Amino acid sequence: MPLADVTFGDILLMVFEIFLFVVWIWILFTIITDLFRNHEMSGWLKAAWLVVLVFIPYLAALVYLIVYGSDMRERQLRAQAEAKHEADHYIRAAAHTSPADELHKLHELVEKGALTEAEYDRAKQKLLATA
């Protein structure tokens, strides 16, 4: 196909097809990630889903999203919360601060007038809840 024969519509169609392909790959990676994140599913069932995803990809992806869609959301939220907790723990360990140190710093800010009592109480409750 010579370059002179390519129309603007052909280019738009190609961009749309690339977009759909990227979305399709994203959906497949999301499903495969969820398969390995699901600890309630047996290894044989995971393998079966992978085989079905390879040989009947569109139907398998649609069925998987219908059957396990809400569970996927719960697993994703749980994984994000766990990652946030671990990151907070790492940051606190790297900074060598304990909740008592942070509470002392908050109290000093109240004494200096940088924080109100209400702000101090909110920060204290949040600090004690994460500890």
Side-chain angles (χ1 to χ4, degrees):
M1 173 189 251
L3 190 59
D5 293 340
V6 177
T7 64
F8 183 68
D10 292 336
I11 294 172
L12 284 179
L13 184 61
M14 184 177 61
V15 167
F16 184 67
E17 289 171 351
I18 291 171
F19 170 76
L20 289 178
F21 179 72
V22 169
V23 168
W24 173 246
I25 295 297
W26 185 6
I27 290 171
L28 282 180
F29 277 113
T30 302
I31 290 173
I32 291 170
T33 302
D34 185 67
L35 271 173
F36 289 106
R37 187 180 287 153
N38 188 352
H39 298 294
E40 298 170 1
M41 191 181 292
S42 71
W44 288 106
L45 187 56
K46 291 177 185 181
W49 270 111
L50 284 174
V51 168
V52 172
L53 277 169
V54 168
F55 291 111
I56 315 170
Y58 297 111
L59 181 63
L62 184 63
V63 170
Y64 188 89
L65 291 174
I66 290 170
V67 173
Y68 294 108
S70 61
D71 295 339
M72 286 176 68
R73 179 182 177 276
E74 295 301 321
R75 281 187 288 277
Q76 181 68 23
L77 289 175
R78 200 173 325 128
Q80 288 175 355
E82 183 179 320
K84 182 185 182 317
H85 176 72
E86 289 187 20
D88 291 344
H89 179 70
Y90 173 76
I91 291 169
R92 195 170 278 127
H96 300 293
T97 60
S98 68
D101 294 334
E102 292 182 33
L103 193 58
H104 181 69
K105 289 177 186 177
L106 286 173
H107 185 68
E108 288 177 354
L109 288 173
V110 169
E111 289 177 349
K112 291 179 184 177
L115 283 179
T116 65
E117 284 294 327
E119 292 171 332
Y120 171 74
D121 290 336
R122 279 194 303 266
K124 180 180 170 183
Q125 291 300 327
K126 184 177 178 184
L127 180 64
L128 294 176
T130 59

